[in-house]
């Protein structure tokens, strides 16, 4: 009974959040419709295509980071196997419920020789590293925004939480035991290994920043120096969206934060279009890699 009540409350909160996000975006679009139409009418297709290509490459780098985590426990694992497990699972995040991406990746990881408990721990570690690197990049770049102090505080809280969990994995184990009544097998990660993963994630955020910069340039000319602050803005937007566990993949939250922060650099109209294009590009990129994973698997069988 308690479990059913919790599920109902979570669903209700999700619906409320989605409605608020839709209302927020609807208000912006209707109040700036003429400017949005003007930007769409003069959009540069080449810059837009370049932005899509960079988004696709950033997803490939994400799968390589997952591979680096897997070979920590299985050194002989080929990258193609990690790639297949990553993108066959990541596409399930669009299934209602929010847990299927974890369930499917744990299932696929078991086929690679790891235990389900090890796979689940590595998924948690991957998420912590992504949030930690995104918040750190924002603190380093610290682009000028209206919400600077609040974001610095949130980023600091998330950084401290991620560091605590990464360097005290027993805390993760205790939380998991409390929530699910099961034991979680820890995969102790060395500091050097965490450092390498962090560098890869920082490179991934900068690559995404380049993709966002290309999107902005498809709509309005922007200085090349804007790549770094755009990287920091997207990184903190993703981190806050991911940390907001109520909505799967930060859907809606990331877009709102991105619009609020980008508007101080690009203007509201461009910020709205960039947030929409970015979400679409990531979705299309995941679908592209998902299809590629089947092609690679079929060739391996052949």
């Amino acid at each position: 009974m308690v479990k059913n009540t919790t599920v109902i409350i979570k669903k209700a909160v999700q619906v409320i959040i989605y409605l608020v996000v839709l209302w927020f975006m609807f208000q912006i679009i209707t109040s700036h419709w003429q400017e949005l139409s003007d930007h769409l009418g003069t959009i540069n297709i080449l810059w837009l295509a370049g932005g899509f290509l960079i988004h696709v490459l950033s997803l490939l780098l994400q799968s390589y980071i997952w591979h680096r985590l897997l070979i920590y426990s299985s050194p002989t694992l080929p990258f193609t196997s990690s790639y297949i497990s990553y993108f066959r699972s990541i596409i399930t995040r669009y299934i209602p419920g929010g847990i299927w991406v974890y369930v499917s990746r744990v299932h696929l990881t078991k086929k690679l020789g790891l235990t389900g408990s090890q796979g689940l721990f590595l998924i948690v570690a991957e998420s912590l590293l992504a949030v930690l690197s995104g918040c750190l990049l924002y603190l380093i770049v610290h682009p000028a925004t209206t919400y600077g102090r609040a974001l610095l505080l949130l980023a600091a809280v998330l950084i401290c939480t991620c560091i605590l969990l990464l360097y005290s994995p027993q805390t993760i184990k205790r939380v998991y035991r409390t929530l699910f009544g099961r034991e979680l097998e820890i995969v102790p990660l060395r500091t050097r290994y965490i450092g390498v993963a962090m560098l890869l994630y920082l490179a991934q955020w900068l690559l995404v920043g380049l993709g966002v910069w290309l999107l902005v340039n498809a709509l309005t000319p922007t200085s090349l120096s804007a790549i770094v602050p755009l990287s920091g803005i997207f990184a903190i937007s993703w981190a806050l969206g991911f940390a907001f566990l109520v909505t799967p993949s930060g859907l809606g939250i990331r877009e709102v934060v991105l619009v609020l922060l980008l508007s101080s650099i690009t203007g509201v109209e461009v910020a709205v279009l960039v947030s929409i294009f970015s979400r679409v590009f990531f979705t299309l990129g995941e679908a592209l890699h998902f299809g590629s994973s089947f092609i690679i698997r079929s060739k391996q069988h052949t």
Side-chain angles (χ1 to χ4, degrees), residues 17 101 122 192 199 235 247 254 257 260:
I17 291 172
V101 63
L122 290 176
R192 181 177 64 85
L199 289 175
T247 59
R254 189 181 81 185
V257 176
L260 291 175

Side-chain angles (χ1 to χ4, degrees), residues 243-270:
F244 203 85
L245 299 176
V246 177
T247 59
S249 304
L251 185 61
I253 303 300
R254 189 181 81 185
E255 282 71 29
V256 169
V257 176
L258 192 58
V259 169
L260 291 175
L261 300 183
L262 267 183
S263 58
S264 60
I265 296 178
T266 65
V268 176
E269 303 83 12
V270 173

Side-chain angles (χ1 to χ4, degrees), residues 118-295:
Q118 286 178 323
L120 183 58
F121 177 80
L122 290 176
I123 292 170
V124 174
E126 177 202 29
S127 302
L128 292 173
L129 287 166
V131 174
L132 176 59
S133 60
C135 292
L136 279 176
L137 179 61
Y138 178 78
L139 287 182
I140 294 170
V141 175
H142 188 39
T145 65
T146 309
Y147 310 90
R149 290 185 179 180
L151 284 175
L152 286 175
L153 178 60
L154 284 172
V157 170
L158 288 174
I159 287 172
C160 293
T161 302
C162 291
I163 291 176
L164 171 65
L165 294 175
L166 282 170
Y167 285 97
S168 178
Q170 292 299 325
T171 304
I172 301 176
K173 190 173 183 177
R174 285 193 294 270
V175 171
Y176 185 78
R177 186 192 305 124
T178 302
L179 292 176
F180 304 104
R182 299 179 182 179
E183 291 298 322
L184 184 66
E185 187 176 351
I186 300 298
V187 180
L189 300 173
R190 296 194 186 104
T191 300
R192 181 177 64 85
Y193 202 84
I194 292 175
V196 172
M198 285 290 294
L199 289 175
L200 288 171
Y201 263 117
L202 289 173
Q204 194 260 340
W205 290 128
L206 290 172
L207 187 60
V208 174
L210 174 60
V212 174
W213 179 80
L214 290 169
L215 280 179
V216 173
N217 269 275
L219 300 163
T220 184
T222 309
S223 170
L224 187 64
S225 61
I227 292 177
V228 175
L230 288 175
S231 301
I233 286 174
F234 190 91
I236 193 65
S237 301
W238 184 94
L240 293 178
F242 185 87
F244 203 85
L245 299 176
V246 177
T247 59
S249 304
L251 185 61
I253 303 300
R254 189 181 81 185
E255 282 71 29
V256 169
V257 176
L258 192 58
V259 169
L260 291 175
L261 300 183
L262 267 183
S263 58
S264 60
I265 296 178
T266 65
V268 176
E269 303 83 12
V270 173
V272 169
L273 292 174
V274 167
S275 67
I276 294 173
F277 276 121
S278 180
R279 173 65 76 170
V280 171
F281 282 1
F282 271 119
T283 302
L284 291 176
E286 288 170 352
L288 180 63
H289 284 296
F290 179 69
S292 299
S293 69
F294 281 93
I295 296 173

